[in-house]
Amino acid sequence: MKWVGAIFIALLLSCQTASADRVEQAFASGRFLEAAELARAEGGADNYARAARALLADAVASGRPTVERLDEAEAMARQAVALDPKHPEGRLQLAIALSLKSREMSTREALDSGYGGMSRDLAEAVIEDDPDNVYAHGFMAVWNIEVVRRGGALGSAFMGASMRKARNHYVQAIETGQADPSLHWQYARALAALNARKYESDIEMCLERAMTTQAETALAELMQARARSFQLYVRTHSRKDIERAAEVLL
């Protein structure tokens, strides 16, 4: 019976691995909704987190996330965290979902929602558990810039955000050796939205990194294309036009 049990467990793990492969294959090729459905059907904290990631990728790829898609991603991430409160990807995907939801809110609405503080706390907790988590550092790099831009000096102080922290997180993300085009593109976009003239050289450097770093997924390729298009835009438009464009891009 022990032998039979061992065989059963081995087969079960093999099925889970194959399913996970199907999820990752669908995600890597840009079939995000298919990846989300496969992961959701399997269940469990890992798969709910993968489902949230795929739904958020679909939202980012669209360029204009719908409330319904973000709500769906948030729900999947919350299910992952409910099953495993310390699940790294579950917490990080929840942070991203909340952050994206706050983009369409006014500064006052964003503060009242508490999404900014919640997303910060989730990402910082992931870093505390895993100091080399490239995605958490990338998230916090952009989070700090966005809070500085939207909150000004007072809001930044209240939320504990600063450009020094943004730079530190970006550097730490690079030092992991795992930064992908998406991370460089998002950091460049956030800087451009904040002050295209002041951070001109940093923006150009990050855009170059986004275009030259190897893209291993369809989403990374899309981020490279956006970086390339934005680089051309930066070279032919005014500072105010650049900032307005960067503010609405993803």
Side-chain angles (χ1 to χ4, degrees):
M1 289 300 294
K2 288 182 180 180
W3 180 79
V4 173
I7 292 295
F8 175 77
I9 291 171
L11 289 172
L12 178 60
L13 290 174
S14 296
C15 291
Q16 290 176 333
T17 301
S19 177
D21 286 345
R22 291 199 299 273
V23 172
E24 295 307 320
Q25 288 167 4
F27 183 92
S29 63
R31 304 192 313 274
F32 303 125
L33 297 184
E34 178 185 339
E37 192 54 40
L38 285 169
R40 184 183 354 226
E42 286 299 309
D46 287 349
N47 283 305
Y48 289 144
R50 290 192 186 99
R53 180 186 61 174
L55 291 166
L56 289 170
D58 181 73
V60 170
S62 74
R64 295 301 299 268
T66 64
V67 173
E68 291 76 18
R69 181 70 74 234
L70 295 180
D71 284 345
E72 191 178 7
E74 179 187 355
M76 285 289 96
R78 287 191 183 279
Q79 285 195 52
V81 175
L83 290 174
D84 179 0
K86 293 182 72 67
H87 195 280
E89 188 170 0
R91 287 182 290 174
L92 190 54
Q93 298 307 325
L94 179 55
I96 295 170
L98 296 176
S99 183
L100 286 174
K101 291 181 77 169
S102 71
R103 278 173 63 92
E104 299 301 317
M105 299 177 179
S106 67
T107 302
R108 171 50 57 188
E109 288 172 337
L111 284 171
D112 289 344
S113 72
Y115 287 169
M118 291 165 62
S119 60
R120 175 202 60 210
D121 292 347
L122 286 162
E124 287 184 341
V126 171
I127 292 172
E128 184 176 346
D129 293 340
D130 178 11
D132 292 327
N133 191 300
V134 61
Y135 302 109
H137 281 299
F139 175 85
M140 286 305 301
V142 174
W143 182 90
N144 275 276
I145 298 173
E146 294 287 356
V147 172
V148 169
R149 180 177 66 82
R150 297 187 67 181
L154 186 61
S156 300
F158 177 75
M159 296 296 292
S162 71
M163 291 305 295
R164 177 184 58 80
K165 290 181 179 179
R167 285 189 292 270
N168 287 344
H169 280 295
Y170 179 64
V171 169
Q172 287 178 274
I174 293 174
E175 288 177 347
T176 67
Q178 303 174 58
D180 70 358
S182 303
L183 189 150
H184 297 301
W185 156 241
Q186 289 295 339
Y187 191 71
R189 180 204 59 75
L191 287 175
L194 175 61
N195 192 318
R197 182 174 299 157
K198 181 176 181 179
Y199 299 106
E200 181 178 3
S201 61
D202 288 333
I203 293 165
E204 179 65 24
M205 175 186 67
C206 293
L207 290 174
E208 283 294 332
R209 286 174 174 170
M211 291 184 291
T212 56
T213 301
Q214 183 176 355
E216 298 182 349
T217 66
L219 183 62
E221 290 175 356
L222 176 59
M223 297 299 101
Q224 278 188 327
R226 288 182 183 173
R228 188 174 298 109
S229 177
F230 190 68
Q231 185 184 60
L232 294 174
Y233 189 90
V234 164
R235 293 173 176 175
T236 56
H237 288 75
S238 69
R239 169 196 170 186
K240 288 299 181 185
D241 284 342
I242 293 167
E243 291 172 357
R244 280 192 290 265
E247 187 176 338
V248 298
L249 286 170
L250 280 174

